[in-house]
Amino acid sequence: MRFEGTKDYVATDDLRVAVNAAIALERPLLVKGEPGTGKTVLAIEVAKSLGCELIEWHVKSTTKANQGLYEYDAVSRLRDGQMGEERAKDVKNYIKKGKLWEAFTAKKRPVLLIDEIDKADIEFPNDLLQELDRMEFYVYETNEVVKAKVRPIVIITSNNEKELPDAFLRRCFFHFIKFPDEETMREIIDVHFPEIKKKLVGDALTTFYAMRELPGVKKKPSTSELLDWLKLLMNEDIDLETLREKDPERLTPPLHGALLKNEQDVALFERLAFLSRRQDGPGGGRRGPAG
């Protein structure tokens, strides 16, 4: 069982090595990286590539670890008991299985995605240590042990919003997804838009990486935002170079709202583009951050 990437997902060599190492070690794969670099999509593509069921647990700030195991609705059982409902006699009717329970009882080895684990309380990963290590947990209400029939492939993502406990990190295989260089980005674009004009890709990437390299930029545009921008440019049939020739005073690229997500970054880009243009002079060959 090896992951080699898919036709819809450009996996670098080091990422493929990390996925296969975690599978071989039977340890969770902890994936970090900038938002929008494909961490969540990785789990989807691993499941697709290996022909596994995908079980997704999207973590929120209010998520508790026990919700991944099960939840017991004691209030509903009490109410049904007072109403004389027959189902109230069986506690199993009031236990809601969590995503780990689903993964542990799957007949075929699944891929379990625990997405954005750093959103939850700091104790959240600690509370899952034993369950992820032993692949089992105890259900007090029914006096039973839920043990994994086949050990799931666990992929955990983090946006680095908070540090994870050392005890948790020791149990994981770690990989940081580096931001794609221009060559890799061209491969990613080609997967999503095989018919796109190469000239548009070149101009768009020049602008995109210039935005990411702006000193003081608050939120760097991500891979997913670049793909959104290219989709819009294609839908509107916009050519960046032609637009600049028609309007040489244009400081920001068209539809830049797909890339720049706050007014401070827009103002910063416009200011630096203006200063760059002034330095070049009216006959200068360089056009500044906009390419």
Side-chain angles (χ1 to χ4, degrees):
M1 183 174 276
R2 291 185 61 81
F3 174 64
E4 300 296 343
T6 69
K7 64 180 180 63
D8 299 318
Y9 187 84
V10 177
T12 56
D13 290 339
D14 57 342
L15 179 56
R16 288 196 294 269
V17 168
V19 171
N20 291 318
I23 292 173
L25 291 171
E26 295 190 328
R27 289 191 176 276
L29 173 63
L30 174 60
V31 185
K32 291 187 179 183
E34 286 186 31
T37 50
K39 299 185 297 297
T40 302
V41 178
L42 172 64
I44 298 171
E45 296 302 323
V46 168
K48 186 190 301 181
S49 171
L50 302 179
C52 300
E53 176 191 3
L54 175 66
I55 299 173
E56 302 180 63
W57 185 13
H58 297 285
V59 177
K60 300 178 181 179
S61 60
T62 55
T63 303
K64 302 299 179 185
N66 65 287
Q67 293 173 311
L69 309 179
Y70 69 95
E71 293 181 88
Y72 170 51
D73 191 351
V75 174
S76 292
R77 189 186 185 196
L78 176 61
R79 184 179 61 245
D80 289 349
Q82 292 172 337
M83 298 291 291
E85 296 283 349
E86 186 67 22
R87 68 191 307 269
K89 295 178 181 179
D90 189 351
V91 68
K92 290 184 179 179
N93 292 325
Y94 301 91
I95 289 180
K96 179 183 177 183
K97 297 178 180 180
K99 297 299 182 179
L100 266 71
W101 191 323
E102 287 183 36
F104 288 1
T105 54
K107 293 180 181 179
K108 185 181 176 183
R109 192 178 196 184
V111 171
L112 171 63
L113 168 65
I114 304 177
D115 196 31
E116 298 190 329
I117 194 171
D118 53 326
K119 277 188 175 180
D121 184 87
I122 190 61
E123 291 304 317
F124 180 90
N126 278 333
D127 292 342
L128 289 177
L129 285 179
Q130 182 170 310
E131 288 75 15
L132 290 176
D133 208 23
R134 298 184 182 179
M135 288 290 159
E136 65 177 44
F137 61 90
Y138 183 69
V139 183
Y140 292 92
E141 290 77 8
T142 60
N143 193 30
E144 65 177 313
V145 175
V146 177
K147 187 175 179 65
K149 296 178 180 179
V150 286
R151 197 174 184 96
I153 298 168
V154 182
I155 297 178
I156 303 171
T157 72
S158 169
N159 287 327
N160 247 353
E161 290 184 12
K162 62 171 70 80
E163 288 296 321
L164 300 173
D166 288 346
F168 180 80
L169 295 174
R170 283 198 301 272
R171 289 164 168 82
C172 299
F173 189 92
F174 172 75
H175 181 72
F176 183 86
I177 297 182
K178 298 175 184 176
F179 195 83
D181 58 22
E182 188 167 327
E183 182 181 348
T184 305
M185 193 66 83
R186 287 179 183 273
E187 292 181 37
I188 294 171
I189 293 169
D190 191 52
V191 165
H192 290 269
F193 308 116
E195 305 298 324
I196 194 171
K197 298 174 185 175
K198 300 303 179 186
K199 182 70 169 62
L200 176 59
V201 172
D203 290 344
L205 286 178
T206 299
T207 300
F208 174 73
Y209 281 105
M211 285 183 175
R212 283 188 55 85
E213 292 165 9
L214 282 178
V217 67
K218 189 173 181 180
K219 187 208 170 295
K220 294 181 178 182
S222 68
T223 304
S224 60
E225 288 163 340
L226 170 62
L227 295 175
D228 286 345
W229 187 46
L230 286 170
K231 183 177 180 179
L232 290 172
L233 293 176
M234 291 172 66
N235 285 345
E236 299 295 329
D237 196 23
I238 292 175
D239 185 291
L240 296 182
E241 189 64 29
T242 302
L243 268 177
R244 280 195 293 266
E245 290 170 359
K246 290 179 179 177
D247 184 6
E249 296 305 312
R250 177 185 288 274
L251 296 178
T252 56
L255 302 167
H256 64 270
L259 298 174
L260 300 174
K261 297 303 176 73
N262 58 70
E263 62 276 16
Q264 295 97 322
D265 287 346
V266 173
L268 175 64
F269 185 85
E270 289 179 341
R271 184 164 63 252
L272 291 180
F274 175 74
L275 291 174
S276 176
R277 195 161 293 166
R278 283 188 61 186
Q279 289 171 0
D280 289 343
R286 186 163 60 91
R287 288 191 173 93

